[in-house]
Amino acid sequence: MATRALITGITGQDGSYLAELLLDQGYEVVGLMRRSSTVNIERISHIQERLTLVSGDLMDEVSLINVLRDHRPSEVYNLAAQSFVQASWAQPVLTGEATALGVTRMLDAIRIVDPGIRFYQASSSEMFGKVREVPQTENTFFHPRSPYGVAKVYGHWITVNYRESYDLHASSGILFNHESPRRGIEFVTRKVTHGAARIKAGLDTELRLGNLDAQRDWGYAEDYVRAMWLMLQRDSPDDYVIATGETHSVRELCQVAFESLGLDYDEYVVIDQAFIRPAEVDLLVGDPSKAYRELGWKCETDFRTLIEMMVDADVKALQH
């Protein structure tokens, strides 16, 4: 019988890539979706026929218990969250409900229905925030700088707590920024690649951005979901930093994106105070050596290849 996995946040970037990976591994894949009048399934439309999509919500523990009872997954990947850092200042309570308490509800549902289920929690490099050391490892102190980062710290520690208290196979992947052509338009990488493509097509004359000196460790989402799966195949659960170990600035991101279209970013990028965060995270760079050692995982796609792939996809989308 095929292994069955439940993915929350299946319609997101990571959810769609993870669903593809699990289907390729012969899994039955169940996707949890919030009920709404307009559902955006664009990222999974090409595999929709092969998925079982069910209604449920991280805000409602009873719905989670029912989904686990009805579908009996042996693995649960919790990727659902209010995941946009900027929005977490505008909606701090909602971010806490979904991104922090939502994890508790899912863990509790697993504990009640079947403690043998293996659980993956999507932790985030935003938990490090005002970094205490460079690069960041599994043991680096957390100092989140946004309501989103704070909520992710709660989700991370409640996962550790349930693992230790109830002996659950619960692992956290502390994922650094990971991008793809499926990245939401509000995220800076996609904002830049899409903006550059629009300027090249003559649809825009400028791109407004915030802090160009912010530095991030950017990898490819399709590489990163492989790490999630590998964690749940191990005999014992643990936490892993998933990163490239390299850092690049937003300025460099602009340079590569515009350059790939034969443009000079300096002529089009405008600094706009509206996009400067109340508290900025300056330098995030992860040390993935534990994942390399124990999971045999490493990022296969380099920064330039990733950004050029995203620009190409945006150019093609605009041509359509």
Side-chain angles (χ1 to χ4, degrees):
M1 204 174 105
T3 309
R4 189 174 297 145
L6 172 69
I7 303 174
T8 75
I10 195 166
T11 57
Q13 167 187 262
D14 294 7
S16 65
Y17 282 117
L18 180 63
E20 287 173 349
L21 172 78
L22 296 178
L23 289 170
D24 288 347
Q25 300 279 359
Y27 278 65
E28 286 176 23
V29 179
V30 180
L32 187 78
M33 292 173 63
R34 267 194 317 237
R35 192 182 291 287
S36 84
S37 53
T38 54
V39 177
N40 179 6
I41 56 163
E42 190 188 336
R43 294 185 184 98
I44 53 168
S45 56
H46 62 296
I47 50 171
Q48 195 186 341
E49 307 285 288
R50 302 168 64 196
L51 304 170
T52 305
L53 299 175
V54 297
S55 263
D57 199 315
L58 289 181
M59 305 284 201
D60 179 5
E61 190 170 329
V62 172
S63 73
L64 303 179
I65 289 170
N66 288 335
V67 166
L68 293 179
R69 281 196 176 135
D70 292 347
H71 296 278
R72 295 286 168 181
S74 51
E75 296 174 2
V76 170
Y77 296 86
N78 184 41
L79 310 184
Q82 188 301 98
S83 65
F84 187 41
V85 176
Q86 196 73 33
S88 73
W89 275 283
Q91 299 180 307
V93 176
L94 175 74
T95 301
E97 280 289 347
T99 308
L101 293 177
V103 187
T104 317
R105 295 186 191 104
M106 181 57 91
L107 283 164
D108 220 37
I110 288 171
R111 180 181 68 81
I112 290 163
V113 175
D114 176 8
I117 292 171
R118 295 185 171 202
F119 176 77
Y120 171 82
Q121 167 58 12
S123 286
S124 165
S125 59
E126 288 288 331
M127 303 189 305
F128 296 120
K130 192 179 172 69
V131 299
R132 303 299 180 91
E133 61 179 3
V134 178
Q136 292 91 51
T137 72
E138 292 77 10
N139 301 315
T140 301
F141 191 83
F142 297 139
H143 187 149
R145 298 273 276 172
S146 65
Y148 170 78
V150 173
K152 279 290 185 188
V153 170
Y154 178 98
H156 180 82
W157 281 120
I158 202 71
T159 301
V160 173
N161 184 259
Y162 269 63
R163 175 167 81 214
E164 293 174 352
S165 306
Y166 302 112
D167 200 26
L168 296 186
H169 193 298
S171 293
S172 270
I174 305 172
L175 269 58
F176 279 66
N177 297 58
H178 46 289
E179 318 298 315
S180 75
R182 298 180 195 172
R183 190 51 139 157
I185 207 88
E186 70 273 23
F187 290 87
V188 71
T189 43
R190 182 73 197 292
K191 188 175 172 181
V192 169
T193 62
H194 184 253
R198 284 183 64 85
I199 288 168
K200 181 69 175 177
L203 298 170
D204 282 335
T205 55
E206 63 173 32
L207 173 63
R208 304 185 83 83
L209 294 171
N211 179 10
L212 295 191
D213 296 317
Q215 294 183 305
R216 294 289 182 275
D217 182 328
W218 278 301
Y220 179 32
E222 194 173 354
D223 288 338
Y224 284 39
V225 299
R226 199 172 67 253
M228 302 174 183
W229 176 73
L230 287 168
M231 284 177 219
L232 296 203
Q233 308 321 303
R234 284 183 61 77
D235 292 337
S236 51
D238 208 344
D239 307 322
Y240 295 90
V241 163
I242 303 300
T244 68
E246 289 178 14
T247 186
H248 301 274
S249 66
V250 176
R251 191 180 304 282
E252 199 179 336
L253 161 66
C254 293
Q255 208 174 335
V256 172
F258 279 83
E259 212 172 77
S260 73
L261 295 171
L263 301 171
D264 177 358
Y265 83 95
D266 259 338
E267 294 173 24
Y268 304 99
V269 172
V270 178
I271 305 291
D272 185 338
Q273 291 303 315
F275 297 115
I276 304 281
R277 293 177 181 179
E280 182 57 90
V281 172
D282 301 315
L283 176 59
L284 287 176
V285 55
D287 174 1
S289 51
K290 180 179 171 185
Y292 182 67
R293 205 169 53 243
E294 296 186 10
L295 304 175
W297 178 89
K298 66 173 189 293
C299 190
E300 318 256 312
T301 312
D302 67 63
F303 176 72
R304 182 173 287 273
T305 306
L306 169 65
I307 301 309
E308 288 174 355
M309 175 203 309
M310 291 174 68
V311 171
D312 285 348
D314 279 322
V315 167
K316 286 196 182 85
L318 287 175
Q319 285 164 353
H320 287 314

